[in-house]
Amino acid sequence: MSGQFEPLPGGGAVVPLDEVEISILRSLAVQLLELIGPGDEPADSESDDLLASVFNDGPSEPPADPVLARLFPDAYGGPDLVPDDDVRAAAAEFRRYTENDLRSRKRDDALALVRSLDALAPGEEGGAELRLKPDECRQWLGALNDLRLAIGTRLEVTDEEDGGELLRLPDTDPRKPMVMAYLWLGGLQETLVEALMG
């Protein structure tokens, strides 16, 4: 896995991907979508109350799954770090009004990744060149970040040094494929940022 994003003239980025890379990216994004869960059902008519959708309450408690808790962190440090009841109440209120929108954005980013991969026309030897417009780059950055957070949480990565230690795992360790995916996604994310800044 060696594809790196390069800048496109006029904005956006391009990366060559082989069949295996496309399959891995798509599979990880679909798993992320399953973890995040489905969105709200679309409104039956345009006359539905807009204010009701704006003030649609989300959850007030942090998710139990560690990955979801990392993707949807508690505001103000969380109840374990700040035992103050007022802070806990403020964090619950903040989550209630922000988590649904955050879930929707993360879902949209992962769906954009899947759709752009599905739209690729196979090139020679089954690989393809993925070309992203600037707005698609933003969604890809979001999705790549979420994928790395999810995998890093499952691998219990706490800082950059843990990634290096995990790289030295023997090939027989069942975590090794996820470590390689974690590091590869980090490389994609880094080169995409560089392509956008270049």
Side-chain angles (χ1 to χ4, degrees), residues 77-125:
D80 296 335
L81 300 176
V82 184
D84 184 283
D85 287 340
D86 291 336
V87 172
R88 271 199 289 261
E93 190 79 356
F94 182 80
R95 177 178 297 281
R96 211 172 99 207
Y97 291 114
T98 60
E99 187 170 315
N100 284 346
D101 288 340
L102 188 55
R103 276 184 187 266
S104 178
R105 185 178 56 77
K106 290 180 181 299
R107 191 178 303 108
D108 289 347
D109 290 348
L111 276 171
L113 188 148
V114 170
R115 288 179 180 139
S116 60
L117 292 173
D118 288 350
L120 287 175
E124 293 180 23
E125 301 174 17

Side-chain angles (χ1 to χ4, degrees), residues 13-198:
V14 60
V15 64
L17 296 171
D18 65 31
E19 286 182 88
V20 172
E21 293 168 330
I22 293 167
S23 176
I24 290 170
L25 279 168
R26 191 180 191 292
S27 174
L28 290 172
V30 168
Q31 290 176 54
L32 181 64
L33 284 165
E34 290 171 353
L35 185 64
I36 292 171
D40 295 331
E41 294 298 318
D44 292 318
S45 72
E46 290 184 34
S47 64
D48 285 348
D49 185 5
L50 178 61
L51 285 177
S53 68
V54 169
F55 293 107
N56 185 16
D57 287 354
S60 59
E61 294 296 321
D65 184 302
V67 172
L68 288 175
R70 182 69 178 101
L71 291 173
F72 307 106
D74 219 352
Y76 314 116
D80 296 335
L81 300 176
V82 184
D84 184 283
D85 287 340
D86 291 336
V87 172
R88 271 199 289 261
E93 190 79 356
F94 182 80
R95 177 178 297 281
R96 211 172 99 207
Y97 291 114
T98 60
E99 187 170 315
N100 284 346
D101 288 340
L102 188 55
R103 276 184 187 266
S104 178
R105 185 178 56 77
K106 290 180 181 299
R107 191 178 303 108
D108 289 347
D109 290 348
L111 276 171
L113 188 148
V114 170
R115 288 179 180 139
S116 60
L117 292 173
D118 288 350
L120 287 175
E124 293 180 23
E125 301 174 17
E129 189 176 76
L130 176 68
R131 294 176 161 280
L132 299 176
K133 297 174 185 170
D135 60 324
E136 293 171 319
C137 289
R138 186 210 56 81
Q139 289 185 297
W140 266 72
L141 278 174
L144 289 172
N145 186 60
D146 291 341
L147 289 172
R148 286 197 75 229
L149 284 173
I151 293 170
T153 302
R154 290 287 189 241
L155 291 171
E156 298 178 352
V157 173
T158 55
D159 58 36
E160 290 303 315
E161 305 230 352
D162 282 347
E165 289 177 24
L166 289 171
L167 185 57
R168 292 187 288 277
L169 289 174
D171 291 343
T172 55
D173 192 300
R175 297 172 294 170
K176 188 71 173 207
M178 290 310 294
V179 169
M180 299 310 293
Y182 174 78
L183 296 172
W184 174 59
L185 291 169
L188 281 178
Q189 187 178 20
E190 183 178 340
T191 60
L192 181 51
V193 168
E194 289 170 359
L196 294 175
M197 294 177 70

